[in-house]
Amino acid sequence: MRITVRVIPRAKINRVEIQPDGVVRVHTTTAPTDGKATNDVIKMLAEHYKVPKTSIKLIRGATSRDKIFEI
């Protein structure tokens, strides 16, 4: 399954929310430096979808706020 994710770095709290159009918005308190925010997004998606972190792969958007992940 592929999901489109919009990352909101430097948020006040960590949370995952699903928009009505199917886009997943992930708010993370981590700054987007050296891929740290992306790693936190993978951890939060793994918790949300109840899968191991190793089963989530970044397909596109390594340095962008808009990312595509495959679970």
Short mmCIF file of all heavy atoms in Angstrom, two decimals:
data_model
loop_
_atom_site.label_atom_id
_atom_site.label_comp_id
_atom_site.label_asym_id
_atom_site.label_seq_id
_atom_site.Cartn_x
_atom_site.Cartn_y
_atom_site.Cartn_z
N MET A 1 0.84 -1.17 0.00
CA MET A 1 0.00 0.00 0.00
C MET A 1 0.89 1.23 0.00
O MET A 1 1.84 1.32 0.78
CB MET A 1 -0.89 -0.04 1.26
CG MET A 1 -1.51 1.26 1.61
SD MET A 1 -2.70 1.23 2.95
CE MET A 1 -1.65 0.96 4.35
N ARG A 2 0.59 2.20 -0.86
CA ARG A 2 1.33 3.45 -0.90
C ARG A 2 0.49 4.56 -0.28
O ARG A 2 -0.72 4.64 -0.53
CB ARG A 2 1.68 3.83 -2.33
CG ARG A 2 2.78 2.96 -2.89
CD ARG A 2 3.30 3.49 -4.16
NE ARG A 2 4.38 2.61 -4.60
CZ ARG A 2 5.20 2.90 -5.56
NH1 ARG A 2 5.08 4.01 -6.22
NH2 ARG A 2 6.15 2.06 -5.88
N ILE A 3 1.14 5.38 0.51
CA ILE A 3 0.44 6.50 1.14
C ILE A 3 1.20 7.79 0.86
O ILE A 3 2.43 7.80 0.80
CB ILE A 3 0.26 6.30 2.66
CG1 ILE A 3 1.61 6.10 3.35
CG2 ILE A 3 -0.66 5.15 2.95
CD1 ILE A 3 1.52 6.11 4.85
N THR A 4 0.46 8.86 0.70
CA THR A 4 1.03 10.19 0.53
C THR A 4 1.04 10.87 1.89
O THR A 4 0.02 10.89 2.58
CB THR A 4 0.19 11.02 -0.46
OG1 THR A 4 0.12 10.30 -1.69
CG2 THR A 4 0.81 12.37 -0.69
N VAL A 5 2.19 11.40 2.26
CA VAL A 5 2.36 11.98 3.60
C VAL A 5 2.83 13.42 3.46
O VAL A 5 3.74 13.72 2.69
CB VAL A 5 3.39 11.17 4.42
CG1 VAL A 5 3.65 11.83 5.76
CG2 VAL A 5 2.93 9.75 4.60
N ARG A 6 2.20 14.29 4.20
CA ARG A 6 2.64 15.68 4.31
C ARG A 6 3.25 15.83 5.70
O ARG A 6 2.57 15.61 6.71
CB ARG A 6 1.45 16.62 4.14
CG ARG A 6 1.74 18.08 4.37
CD ARG A 6 2.54 18.65 3.23
NE ARG A 6 2.71 20.09 3.45
CZ ARG A 6 3.21 20.89 2.57
NH1 ARG A 6 3.57 20.45 1.41
NH2 ARG A 6 3.36 22.16 2.84
N VAL A 7 4.53 16.19 5.77
CA VAL A 7 5.24 16.30 7.04
C VAL A 7 5.23 17.75 7.50
O VAL A 7 5.53 18.66 6.74
CB VAL A 7 6.70 15.80 6.89
CG1 VAL A 7 7.45 15.96 8.20
CG2 VAL A 7 6.72 14.37 6.42
N ILE A 8 4.87 17.95 8.76
CA ILE A 8 4.89 19.27 9.39
C ILE A 8 5.99 19.22 10.46
O ILE A 8 5.75 18.75 11.57
CB ILE A 8 3.55 19.63 10.06
CG1 ILE A 8 2.30 19.40 9.22
CG2 ILE A 8 3.57 21.07 10.57
CD1 ILE A 8 2.25 19.59 7.81
N PRO A 9 7.21 19.68 10.14
CA PRO A 9 8.29 19.65 11.14
C PRO A 9 8.14 20.77 12.16
O PRO A 9 7.44 21.75 11.93
CB PRO A 9 9.55 19.84 10.29
CG PRO A 9 9.09 20.57 9.09
CD PRO A 9 7.67 20.17 8.85
N ARG A 10 8.82 20.61 13.27
CA ARG A 10 8.83 21.58 14.36
C ARG A 10 7.43 21.89 14.89
O ARG A 10 7.12 23.02 15.25
CB ARG A 10 9.52 22.87 13.95
CG ARG A 10 10.97 22.70 13.63
CD ARG A 10 11.63 24.04 13.41
NE ARG A 10 12.92 23.85 12.81
CZ ARG A 10 13.29 24.38 11.66
NH1 ARG A 10 12.50 25.17 11.00
NH2 ARG A 10 14.49 24.14 11.18
N ALA A 11 6.58 20.88 14.95
CA ALA A 11 5.23 21.05 15.51
C ALA A 11 5.31 21.04 17.03
O ALA A 11 6.33 20.69 17.62
CB ALA A 11 4.33 19.93 15.02
N LYS A 12 4.22 21.39 17.67
CA LYS A 12 4.20 21.41 19.13
C LYS A 12 4.11 20.00 19.70
O LYS A 12 4.68 19.72 20.75
CB LYS A 12 3.03 22.24 19.63
CG LYS A 12 3.20 23.72 19.37
CD LYS A 12 2.05 24.51 19.93
CE LYS A 12 2.26 25.99 19.64
NZ LYS A 12 1.18 26.80 20.17
N ILE A 13 3.37 19.12 19.03
CA ILE A 13 3.23 17.74 19.50
C ILE A 13 3.37 16.78 18.31
O ILE A 13 3.16 17.16 17.17
CB ILE A 13 1.86 17.50 20.19
CG1 ILE A 13 0.72 17.79 19.23
CG2 ILE A 13 1.74 18.29 21.46
CD1 ILE A 13 -0.63 17.36 19.74
N ASN A 14 3.73 15.53 18.61
CA ASN A 14 3.80 14.49 17.59
C ASN A 14 2.41 13.89 17.41
O ASN A 14 1.78 13.49 18.40
CB ASN A 14 4.77 13.38 18.01
CG ASN A 14 6.20 13.84 17.98
OD1 ASN A 14 6.59 14.65 17.15
ND2 ASN A 14 7.00 13.33 18.89
N ARG A 15 1.92 13.85 16.17
CA ARG A 15 0.64 13.21 15.91
C ARG A 15 0.51 12.87 14.43
O ARG A 15 1.18 13.45 13.59
CB ARG A 15 -0.52 14.09 16.34
CG ARG A 15 -0.68 15.35 15.54
CD ARG A 15 -1.84 16.17 16.01
NE ARG A 15 -1.80 17.46 15.31
CZ ARG A 15 -2.78 18.30 15.27
NH1 ARG A 15 -3.90 18.02 15.90
NH2 ARG A 15 -2.68 19.42 14.63
N VAL A 16 -0.36 11.92 14.16
CA VAL A 16 -0.67 11.49 12.80
C VAL A 16 -2.16 11.74 12.59
O VAL A 16 -2.98 11.32 13.40
CB VAL A 16 -0.36 9.99 12.60
CG1 VAL A 16 -0.77 9.54 11.23
CG2 VAL A 16 1.11 9.71 12.86
N GLU A 17 -2.50 12.44 11.51
CA GLU A 17 -3.91 12.67 11.21
C GLU A 17 -4.17 12.36 9.74
O GLU A 17 -3.34 12.64 8.88
CB GLU A 17 -4.35 14.09 11.57
CG GLU A 17 -3.64 15.19 10.82
CD GLU A 17 -4.07 16.57 11.26
OE1 GLU A 17 -4.30 16.80 12.46
OE2 GLU A 17 -4.17 17.44 10.38
N ILE A 18 -5.33 11.78 9.47
CA ILE A 18 -5.71 11.40 8.12
C ILE A 18 -6.71 12.44 7.61
O ILE A 18 -7.74 12.67 8.25
CB ILE A 18 -6.37 10.01 8.10
CG1 ILE A 18 -5.53 9.04 8.88
CG2 ILE A 18 -6.67 9.58 6.68
CD1 ILE A 18 -4.62 8.15 8.17
N GLN A 19 -6.42 13.06 6.48
CA GLN A 19 -7.29 14.04 5.88
C GLN A 19 -8.41 13.35 5.10
O GLN A 19 -8.27 12.21 4.69
CB GLN A 19 -6.49 14.95 4.93
CG GLN A 19 -5.39 15.73 5.60
CD GLN A 19 -5.94 16.74 6.58
OE1 GLN A 19 -6.83 17.50 6.26
NE2 GLN A 19 -5.39 16.75 7.79
N PRO A 20 -9.54 14.02 4.86
CA PRO A 20 -10.64 13.41 4.10
C PRO A 20 -10.25 13.02 2.67
O PRO A 20 -10.81 12.09 2.11
CB PRO A 20 -11.71 14.50 4.07
CG PRO A 20 -11.38 15.40 5.21
CD PRO A 20 -9.90 15.32 5.41
N ASP A 21 -9.25 13.69 2.10
CA ASP A 21 -8.83 13.35 0.74
C ASP A 21 -7.82 12.21 0.70
O ASP A 21 -7.31 11.85 -0.36
CB ASP A 21 -8.26 14.58 0.03
CG ASP A 21 -7.04 15.17 0.73
OD1 ASP A 21 -6.71 14.69 1.83
OD2 ASP A 21 -6.45 16.11 0.19
N GLY A 22 -7.52 11.61 1.85
CA GLY A 22 -6.63 10.46 1.91
C GLY A 22 -5.18 10.78 2.23
O GLY A 22 -4.38 9.87 2.43
N VAL A 23 -4.83 12.05 2.27
CA VAL A 23 -3.46 12.45 2.59
C VAL A 23 -3.25 12.32 4.09
O VAL A 23 -4.09 12.73 4.88
CB VAL A 23 -3.18 13.88 2.11
CG1 VAL A 23 -1.80 14.35 2.55
CG2 VAL A 23 -3.31 13.99 0.61
N VAL A 24 -2.13 11.76 4.47
CA VAL A 24 -1.78 11.62 5.88
C VAL A 24 -0.88 12.79 6.26
O VAL A 24 0.12 13.04 5.59
CB VAL A 24 -1.05 10.27 6.12
CG1 VAL A 24 -0.65 10.14 7.58
CG2 VAL A 24 -1.91 9.11 5.68
N ARG A 25 -1.25 13.51 7.30
CA ARG A 25 -0.42 14.62 7.81
C ARG A 25 0.24 14.14 9.09
O ARG A 25 -0.42 13.70 10.01
CB ARG A 25 -1.26 15.85 8.08
CG ARG A 25 -1.87 16.42 6.80
CD ARG A 25 -2.58 17.68 7.06
NE ARG A 25 -1.57 18.72 7.23
CZ ARG A 25 -1.85 19.98 7.48
NH1 ARG A 25 -3.09 20.37 7.62
NH2 ARG A 25 -0.89 20.86 7.61
N VAL A 26 1.57 14.25 9.11
CA VAL A 26 2.33 13.84 10.29
C VAL A 26 3.00 15.07 10.86
O VAL A 26 3.82 15.71 10.20
CB VAL A 26 3.37 12.76 9.92
CG1 VAL A 26 4.18 12.38 11.15
CG2 VAL A 26 2.70 11.55 9.32
N HIS A 27 2.65 15.40 12.09
CA HIS A 27 3.26 16.52 12.81
C HIS A 27 4.36 15.94 13.69
O HIS A 27 4.12 15.04 14.49
CB HIS A 27 2.22 17.21 13.70
CG HIS A 27 1.06 17.76 12.93
ND1 HIS A 27 0.92 19.09 12.67
CD2 HIS A 27 -0.01 17.16 12.36
CE1 HIS A 27 -0.18 19.30 11.98
NE2 HIS A 27 -0.77 18.12 11.78
N THR A 28 5.57 16.48 13.54
CA THR A 28 6.69 16.01 14.34
C THR A 28 7.40 17.19 14.98
O THR A 28 7.50 18.26 14.38
CB THR A 28 7.68 15.17 13.50
OG1 THR A 28 8.76 14.75 14.32
CG2 THR A 28 8.23 15.94 12.32
N THR A 29 7.88 16.99 16.19
CA THR A 29 8.58 18.06 16.90
C THR A 29 10.03 18.19 16.45
O THR A 29 10.70 19.14 16.81
CB THR A 29 8.55 17.79 18.41
OG1 THR A 29 9.11 16.52 18.68
CG2 THR A 29 7.12 17.84 18.94
N THR A 30 10.50 17.25 15.65
CA THR A 30 11.89 17.23 15.21
C THR A 30 12.12 18.23 14.07
O THR A 30 11.26 18.41 13.22
CB THR A 30 12.27 15.82 14.71
OG1 THR A 30 11.89 14.88 15.70
CG2 THR A 30 13.74 15.70 14.44
N ALA A 31 13.29 18.84 14.07
CA ALA A 31 13.67 19.74 12.98
C ALA A 31 14.11 18.91 11.77
O ALA A 31 14.65 17.82 11.93
CB ALA A 31 14.81 20.64 13.42
N PRO A 32 13.86 19.41 10.56
CA PRO A 32 14.22 18.66 9.36
C PRO A 32 15.70 18.76 9.03
O PRO A 32 16.11 19.35 8.03
CB PRO A 32 13.36 19.31 8.28
CG PRO A 32 13.21 20.72 8.75
CD PRO A 32 13.15 20.64 10.25
N THR A 33 16.53 18.19 9.86
CA THR A 33 17.97 18.25 9.69
C THR A 33 18.54 16.84 9.55
O THR A 33 18.27 15.99 10.40
CB THR A 33 18.63 18.94 10.90
OG1 THR A 33 17.99 20.18 11.14
CG2 THR A 33 20.10 19.18 10.68
N ASP A 34 19.29 16.59 8.51
CA ASP A 34 19.96 15.30 8.28
C ASP A 34 19.01 14.11 8.31
O ASP A 34 19.38 13.03 8.76
CB ASP A 34 21.08 15.08 9.31
CG ASP A 34 22.16 16.15 9.24
OD1 ASP A 34 22.42 16.65 8.12
OD2 ASP A 34 22.74 16.47 10.27
N GLY A 35 17.78 14.29 7.86
CA GLY A 35 16.84 13.18 7.80
C GLY A 35 16.24 12.76 9.12
O GLY A 35 15.58 11.73 9.21
N LYS A 36 16.46 13.54 10.17
CA LYS A 36 15.94 13.17 11.49
C LYS A 36 14.42 13.20 11.52
O LYS A 36 13.79 12.33 12.12
CB LYS A 36 16.50 14.11 12.56
CG LYS A 36 17.98 13.93 12.80
CD LYS A 36 18.49 14.90 13.82
CE LYS A 36 19.99 14.79 13.96
NZ LYS A 36 20.53 15.80 14.86
N ALA A 37 13.81 14.19 10.86
CA ALA A 37 12.35 14.28 10.83
C ALA A 37 11.77 13.09 10.06
O ALA A 37 10.77 12.52 10.47
CB ALA A 37 11.91 15.60 10.20
N THR A 38 12.41 12.69 8.98
CA THR A 38 11.93 11.54 8.20
C THR A 38 11.99 10.27 9.02
O THR A 38 11.05 9.45 8.99
CB THR A 38 12.75 11.39 6.91
OG1 THR A 38 12.65 12.60 6.14
CG2 THR A 38 12.23 10.23 6.08
N ASN A 39 13.04 10.10 9.78
CA ASN A 39 13.15 8.91 10.64
C ASN A 39 12.05 8.90 11.70
O ASN A 39 11.48 7.85 11.99
CB ASN A 39 14.53 8.86 11.31
CG ASN A 39 15.63 8.55 10.32
OD1 ASN A 39 15.39 7.97 9.27
ND2 ASN A 39 16.84 8.95 10.65
N ASP A 40 11.74 10.05 12.27
CA ASP A 40 10.66 10.13 13.25
C ASP A 40 9.30 9.86 12.61
O ASP A 40 8.44 9.24 13.21
CB ASP A 40 10.65 11.49 13.94
CG ASP A 40 11.73 11.60 15.01
OD1 ASP A 40 12.36 10.57 15.32
OD2 ASP A 40 11.94 12.71 15.52
N VAL A 41 9.13 10.32 11.37
CA VAL A 41 7.88 10.07 10.65
C VAL A 41 7.71 8.57 10.44
O VAL A 41 6.62 8.02 10.63
CB VAL A 41 7.86 10.84 9.31
CG1 VAL A 41 6.73 10.35 8.43
CG2 VAL A 41 7.72 12.33 9.57
N ILE A 42 8.77 7.88 10.08
CA ILE A 42 8.70 6.43 9.88
C ILE A 42 8.32 5.74 11.19
O ILE A 42 7.47 4.83 11.20
CB ILE A 42 10.04 5.89 9.33
CG1 ILE A 42 10.21 6.36 7.88
CG2 ILE A 42 10.09 4.37 9.41
CD1 ILE A 42 11.55 6.05 7.28
N LYS A 43 8.88 6.18 12.31
CA LYS A 43 8.53 5.60 13.61
C LYS A 43 7.06 5.81 13.93
O LYS A 43 6.37 4.90 14.38
CB LYS A 43 9.39 6.21 14.71
CG LYS A 43 10.83 5.79 14.69
CD LYS A 43 11.61 6.49 15.77
CE LYS A 43 13.09 6.26 15.63
NZ LYS A 43 13.87 7.05 16.59
N MET A 44 6.56 7.02 13.68
CA MET A 44 5.17 7.32 14.00
C MET A 44 4.21 6.57 13.07
O MET A 44 3.16 6.10 13.51
CB MET A 44 4.92 8.83 13.94
CG MET A 44 5.60 9.56 15.08
SD MET A 44 5.08 11.27 15.30
CE MET A 44 5.64 12.03 13.81
N LEU A 45 4.57 6.44 11.79
CA LEU A 45 3.72 5.68 10.88
C LEU A 45 3.69 4.21 11.27
O LEU A 45 2.64 3.56 11.18
CB LEU A 45 4.22 5.83 9.44
CG LEU A 45 3.99 7.18 8.78
CD1 LEU A 45 4.67 7.22 7.42
CD2 LEU A 45 2.51 7.48 8.64
N ALA A 46 4.82 3.68 11.72
CA ALA A 46 4.87 2.28 12.15
C ALA A 46 3.96 2.06 13.35
O ALA A 46 3.24 1.05 13.41
CB ALA A 46 6.31 1.88 12.49
N GLU A 47 3.95 2.99 14.29
CA GLU A 47 3.05 2.87 15.43
C GLU A 47 1.59 3.00 15.02
O GLU A 47 0.74 2.25 15.49
CB GLU A 47 3.37 3.95 16.46
CG GLU A 47 4.63 3.72 17.26
CD GLU A 47 4.89 4.83 18.26
OE1 GLU A 47 3.95 5.58 18.60
OE2 GLU A 47 6.04 4.95 18.70
N HIS A 48 1.32 3.95 14.13
CA HIS A 48 -0.06 4.19 13.71
C HIS A 48 -0.65 3.00 12.95
O HIS A 48 -1.79 2.61 13.19
CB HIS A 48 -0.13 5.45 12.83
CG HIS A 48 -1.50 5.78 12.37
ND1 HIS A 48 -2.43 6.38 13.21
CD2 HIS A 48 -2.11 5.62 11.18
CE1 HIS A 48 -3.55 6.55 12.54
NE2 HIS A 48 -3.39 6.11 11.31
N TYR A 49 0.13 2.44 12.03
CA TYR A 49 -0.35 1.31 11.23
C TYR A 49 -0.04 -0.05 11.86
O TYR A 49 -0.36 -1.08 11.28
CB TYR A 49 0.23 1.38 9.82
CG TYR A 49 -0.39 2.49 9.00
CD1 TYR A 49 0.31 3.67 8.75
CD2 TYR A 49 -1.67 2.38 8.50
CE1 TYR A 49 -0.25 4.69 8.01
CE2 TYR A 49 -2.25 3.39 7.76
CZ TYR A 49 -1.54 4.54 7.51
OH TYR A 49 -2.10 5.56 6.79
N LYS A 50 0.61 -0.04 13.02
CA LYS A 50 0.94 -1.27 13.77
C LYS A 50 1.74 -2.26 12.92
O LYS A 50 1.40 -3.44 12.81
CB LYS A 50 -0.33 -1.92 14.31
CG LYS A 50 -1.03 -1.04 15.32
CD LYS A 50 -2.32 -1.64 15.79
CE LYS A 50 -2.99 -0.81 16.84
NZ LYS A 50 -3.42 0.49 16.48
N VAL A 51 2.81 -1.76 12.31
CA VAL A 51 3.73 -2.58 11.53
C VAL A 51 5.15 -2.27 12.00
O VAL A 51 5.39 -1.22 12.59
CB VAL A 51 3.60 -2.31 10.01
CG1 VAL A 51 2.23 -2.70 9.50
CG2 VAL A 51 3.90 -0.86 9.68
N PRO A 52 6.11 -3.15 11.73
CA PRO A 52 7.50 -2.84 12.10
C PRO A 52 8.06 -1.71 11.22
O PRO A 52 7.62 -1.53 10.08
CB PRO A 52 8.25 -4.14 11.86
CG PRO A 52 7.33 -5.03 11.13
CD PRO A 52 5.96 -4.49 11.23
N LYS A 53 9.01 -0.97 11.77
CA LYS A 53 9.62 0.13 11.03
C LYS A 53 10.27 -0.34 9.73
O LYS A 53 10.29 0.40 8.75
CB LYS A 53 10.68 0.84 11.89
CG LYS A 53 10.11 1.58 13.05
CD LYS A 53 11.18 2.33 13.80
CE LYS A 53 12.17 1.37 14.41
NZ LYS A 53 13.15 2.00 15.27
N THR A 54 10.79 -1.56 9.73
CA THR A 54 11.48 -2.07 8.55
C THR A 54 10.55 -2.34 7.38
O THR A 54 11.00 -2.49 6.25
CB THR A 54 12.25 -3.35 8.88
OG1 THR A 54 11.34 -4.31 9.43
CG2 THR A 54 13.36 -3.07 9.88
N SER A 55 9.23 -2.39 7.62
CA SER A 55 8.30 -2.64 6.53
C SER A 55 7.81 -1.35 5.87
O SER A 55 7.02 -1.39 4.94
CB SER A 55 7.10 -3.45 7.02
OG SER A 55 6.35 -2.69 7.93
N ILE A 56 8.30 -0.20 6.33
CA ILE A 56 7.94 1.09 5.74
C ILE A 56 9.14 1.60 4.96
O ILE A 56 10.23 1.74 5.50
CB ILE A 56 7.53 2.10 6.83
CG1 ILE A 56 6.31 1.60 7.57
CG2 ILE A 56 7.28 3.46 6.21
CD1 ILE A 56 5.85 2.48 8.69
N LYS A 57 8.90 1.87 3.66
CA LYS A 57 9.99 2.33 2.80
C LYS A 57 9.62 3.67 2.17
O LYS A 57 8.49 3.86 1.72
CB LYS A 57 10.24 1.31 1.69
CG LYS A 57 10.69 -0.01 2.24
CD LYS A 57 11.23 -0.91 1.18
CE LYS A 57 11.67 -2.25 1.66
NZ LYS A 57 11.52 -2.63 2.99
N LEU A 58 10.59 4.57 2.15
CA LEU A 58 10.40 5.88 1.53
C LEU A 58 10.59 5.72 0.03
O LEU A 58 11.65 5.29 -0.42
CB LEU A 58 11.39 6.89 2.10
CG LEU A 58 11.36 8.29 1.51
CD1 LEU A 58 10.03 8.96 1.80
CD2 LEU A 58 12.49 9.12 2.05
N ILE A 59 9.58 6.04 -0.75
CA ILE A 59 9.64 5.92 -2.20
C ILE A 59 10.12 7.22 -2.83
O ILE A 59 10.99 7.21 -3.69
CB ILE A 59 8.26 5.53 -2.79
CG1 ILE A 59 7.75 4.24 -2.17
CG2 ILE A 59 8.30 5.43 -4.31
CD1 ILE A 59 8.61 3.04 -2.44
N ARG A 60 9.53 8.33 -2.40
CA ARG A 60 9.88 9.61 -3.00
C ARG A 60 9.75 10.72 -1.97
O ARG A 60 8.89 10.66 -1.09
CB ARG A 60 8.94 9.91 -4.16
CG ARG A 60 9.30 11.13 -4.93
CD ARG A 60 8.54 11.32 -6.21
NE ARG A 60 7.24 10.69 -6.21
CZ ARG A 60 6.23 11.11 -6.93
NH1 ARG A 60 6.35 12.16 -7.69
NH2 ARG A 60 5.06 10.49 -6.89
N GLY A 61 10.63 11.74 -2.06
CA GLY A 61 10.52 12.92 -1.21
C GLY A 61 11.45 12.94 -0.02
O GLY A 61 11.06 13.43 1.03
N ALA A 62 12.66 12.47 -0.18
CA ALA A 62 13.59 12.40 0.95
C ALA A 62 13.84 13.78 1.57
O ALA A 62 13.97 13.89 2.79
CB ALA A 62 14.90 11.78 0.52
N THR A 63 13.90 14.82 0.75
CA THR A 63 14.17 16.16 1.29
C THR A 63 12.97 17.09 1.16
O THR A 63 13.10 18.29 1.36
CB THR A 63 15.38 16.79 0.57
OG1 THR A 63 15.08 16.88 -0.82
CG2 THR A 63 16.63 15.96 0.80
N SER A 64 11.82 16.56 0.85
CA SER A 64 10.62 17.35 0.66
C SER A 64 9.66 17.14 1.82
O SER A 64 9.74 16.16 2.55
CB SER A 64 9.94 16.93 -0.65
OG SER A 64 8.70 17.56 -0.79
N ARG A 65 8.70 18.06 1.98
CA ARG A 65 7.67 17.88 3.00
C ARG A 65 6.62 16.87 2.53
O ARG A 65 5.95 16.26 3.34
CB ARG A 65 6.97 19.20 3.31
CG ARG A 65 7.83 20.12 4.12
CD ARG A 65 7.05 21.34 4.49
NE ARG A 65 7.90 22.22 5.27
CZ ARG A 65 7.44 23.14 6.08
NH1 ARG A 65 6.14 23.30 6.21
NH2 ARG A 65 8.25 23.89 6.76
N ASP A 66 6.45 16.77 1.22
CA ASP A 66 5.51 15.81 0.64
C ASP A 66 6.27 14.54 0.29
O ASP A 66 7.20 14.57 -0.51
CB ASP A 66 4.84 16.39 -0.60
CG ASP A 66 4.00 17.61 -0.29
OD1 ASP A 66 3.27 17.57 0.73
OD2 ASP A 66 4.07 18.59 -1.05
N LYS A 67 5.88 13.45 0.91
CA LYS A 67 6.59 12.18 0.75
C LYS A 67 5.62 11.08 0.35
O LYS A 67 4.42 11.17 0.63
CB LYS A 67 7.28 11.79 2.05
CG LYS A 67 8.28 12.81 2.54
CD LYS A 67 8.90 12.41 3.84
CE LYS A 67 9.80 13.47 4.41
NZ LYS A 67 10.89 13.87 3.59
N ILE A 68 6.15 10.05 -0.27
CA ILE A 68 5.37 8.86 -0.59
C ILE A 68 6.07 7.69 0.06
O ILE A 68 7.25 7.45 -0.17
CB ILE A 68 5.23 8.67 -2.10
CG1 ILE A 68 4.45 9.83 -2.71
CG2 ILE A 68 4.52 7.34 -2.40
CD1 ILE A 68 4.29 9.77 -4.20
N PHE A 69 5.30 6.96 0.88
CA PHE A 69 5.81 5.78 1.57
C PHE A 69 5.08 4.55 1.08
O PHE A 69 3.93 4.63 0.67
CB PHE A 69 5.59 5.90 3.09
CG PHE A 69 6.48 6.88 3.77
CD1 PHE A 69 6.05 8.17 4.03
CD2 PHE A 69 7.76 6.53 4.15
CE1 PHE A 69 6.86 9.08 4.68
CE2 PHE A 69 8.59 7.43 4.80
CZ PHE A 69 8.14 8.72 5.06
N GLU A 70 5.77 3.43 1.14
CA GLU A 70 5.15 2.14 0.84
C GLU A 70 5.18 1.30 2.09
O GLU A 70 6.23 1.17 2.73
CB GLU A 70 5.87 1.44 -0.30
CG GLU A 70 5.20 0.17 -0.74
CD GLU A 70 5.81 -0.38 -1.99
OE1 GLU A 70 6.96 -0.85 -1.90
OE2 GLU A 70 5.16 -0.32 -3.04
N ILE A 71 4.02 0.73 2.43
CA ILE A 71 3.93 -0.13 3.62
C ILE A 71 3.70 -1.54 3.15
O ILE A 71 2.82 -1.79 2.37
CB ILE A 71 2.80 0.34 4.55
CG1 ILE A 71 3.08 1.76 5.02
CG2 ILE A 71 2.67 -0.59 5.73
CD1 ILE A 71 1.99 2.37 5.85
#
